[in-house]
Amino acid sequence: MAKTALITGASGGIGGAIARRLNEMGYGLILMYGSNDTGISALTGSLAGHDNVEAIRCDFRDSRDIDSVSRNIAEKHKDIEVMIHAAGISRRELFHEMQPEDFEDLISVNIKPLYYITRSLIPQMIEKGTGDIISISSIWGSRAASMEVAYAMTKGALEQFTRGLAAELSHMGIRVNAIAPGGIDTEILSNLSISERDEFLSDIPFKRLGRPEEIADLVEFLLTKGRYMTGQVITMDGGYTL
Ligand SMILES: NC(=O)c1ccc[n+]([C@@H]2O[C@H](COP(=O)([O-])OP(=O)(O)OC[C@H]3O[C@@H](n4cnc5c(N)ncnc54)[C@H](OP(=O)(O)O)[C@@H]3O)[C@@H](O)[C@H]2O)c1
């Protein structure tokens, strides 16, 4: 039976690159996205074996929806071996000026899917004795980030989820890892002004943003050669945090 991977944020830059790579690797795909119907149609249209690809629109800001959608997916698909959480939003503003709705959105999109989706998939992974859960964190998950305090809170939580769940599940053959990117060239960076982007670029030793495909390279590594790794948060940032 073909292996299946579920990817959140599949309409985004990083999630889309991971989807293309896993499609090339022969995985069936469940592609979750928030609202970008055009982006997801373009992605699914470009993938080989369309009958093995299912797109599911689910706004993670509605937790009742995500709970029932997660349980339905787990009931329908018994062959999900890989779960990638690549959905995410960022907000750049002073912490005390952030409105509660924006804070709630950060928690809902960046963290809650890890609870609802992984809890629905873990039983089938335990039954099969194998599974990979990979989340996209950020360099701000473990470092101080002024103007991104709440975003960094969510990524720090994601990283502790990674270590804790790895400890809980590793003896059952389930690996839990995270990737902490620096600047990757996707839509999420559009919240930087041109001068902020230039300043950011000049601080990166490699003098360029990363490409989403480079994150997909790391996911491929974790699923193939890196099978003795669990509970790790791997930084990929062109030397920014050195
Ligand atoms: N790019 C970077 O420089 C960078 C650096 C560090 C970490 N990251 C992390 O990498 C991950 C992917 O980001 P990206 O760069 O690929 O950004 P992106 O291109 O903006 O993609 C974000 C994805 O999240 C989904 N999403 C947003 N709000 C949602 C909601 N309410 N419900 C469901 N899905 C929602 C989007 O779906 P729709 O558009 O369909 O709503 C989209 O698929 C994020 O967790 C981000 O924090 C990115």
Side-chain angles (χ1 to χ4, degrees):
M1 197 189 292
K3 293 187 218 174
T4 299
L6 181 151
I7 304 171
T8 70
S11 56
I14 291 175
I18 295 169
R20 281 188 287 278
R21 183 64 54 85
L22 296 194
N23 177 253
E24 285 162 18
M25 291 168 70
Y27 281 87
L29 295 176
I30 299 165
L31 304 176
M32 298 189 76
Y33 70 106
S35 59
N36 186 354
D37 297 316
T38 315
I40 207 78
S41 300
L43 173 66
T44 53
S46 71
L47 299 175
H50 295 195
D51 51 338
N52 224 359
V53 177
E54 181 177 341
I56 298 175
R57 181 179 167 131
C58 175
D59 189 332
F60 291 149
R61 290 170 299 181
D62 181 349
S63 60
R64 282 169 308 171
D65 200 25
I66 174 181
D67 188 22
S68 61
V69 168
S70 304
R71 284 189 278 113
N72 288 342
I73 292 171
E75 268 167 37
K76 184 173 164 198
H77 298 273
K78 300 290 181 199
D79 52 353
I80 301 175
E81 290 193 11
V82 176
M83 142 72 172
I84 315 264
H85 180 41
I89 51 173
S90 79
R91 297 277 181 269
R92 278 175 56 78
E93 57 191 317
L94 290 171
F95 182 70
H96 66 280
E97 290 179 357
M98 173 173 274
Q99 294 304 303
E101 315 77 87
D102 290 331
F103 178 70
E104 295 291 339
D105 285 352
L106 278 168
I107 303 286
S108 297
V109 179
N110 294 4
I111 304 179
K112 279 189 182 172
L114 286 172
Y115 172 72
Y116 287 105
I117 301 176
T118 51
R119 83 192 279 269
S120 72
L121 298 182
I122 284 170
Q124 58 171 278
M125 291 180 174
I126 290 175
E127 202 173 304
K128 287 194 288 282
T130 186
D132 278 277
I133 298 162
I134 301 173
S135 308
I136 309 300
S137 182
S138 160
I139 48 172
W140 305 128
S142 59
R143 290 170 181 86
S146 123
M147 299 289 286
E148 304 218 48
V149 176
Y151 175 76
M153 279 172 73
T154 66
K155 295 302 186 179
L158 182 155
E159 294 187 7
Q160 272 304 81
F161 161 91
T162 298
R163 287 183 274 266
L165 196 64
E168 192 166 300
L169 297 179
S170 53
H171 68 287
M172 294 189 246
I174 300 167
R175 287 161 296 278
V176 190
N177 291 292
I179 296 171
I184 306 295
D185 195 5
T186 73
E187 185 57 33
I188 209 169
L189 292 186
S190 61
N191 65 8
L192 297 178
S193 67
I194 291 175
S195 63
E196 285 171 332
R197 193 181 165 101
D198 287 347
E199 193 184 331
F200 185 28
L201 270 177
S202 72
D203 287 342
I204 301 172
F206 282 8
K207 300 296 173 213
R208 68 169 177 88
L209 294 172
R211 292 183 291 274
E213 294 72 24
E214 290 173 308
I215 302 292
D217 289 339
L218 193 42
V219 169
E220 180 174 354
F221 171 81
L222 286 170
L223 296 178
T224 54
K225 303 251 166 73
R227 305 205 53 84
Y228 198 56
M229 294 172 68
T230 195
Q232 302 306 305
V233 180
I234 307 160
T235 298
M236 183 183 268
D237 67 355
Y240 182 80
T241 53
L242 291 176

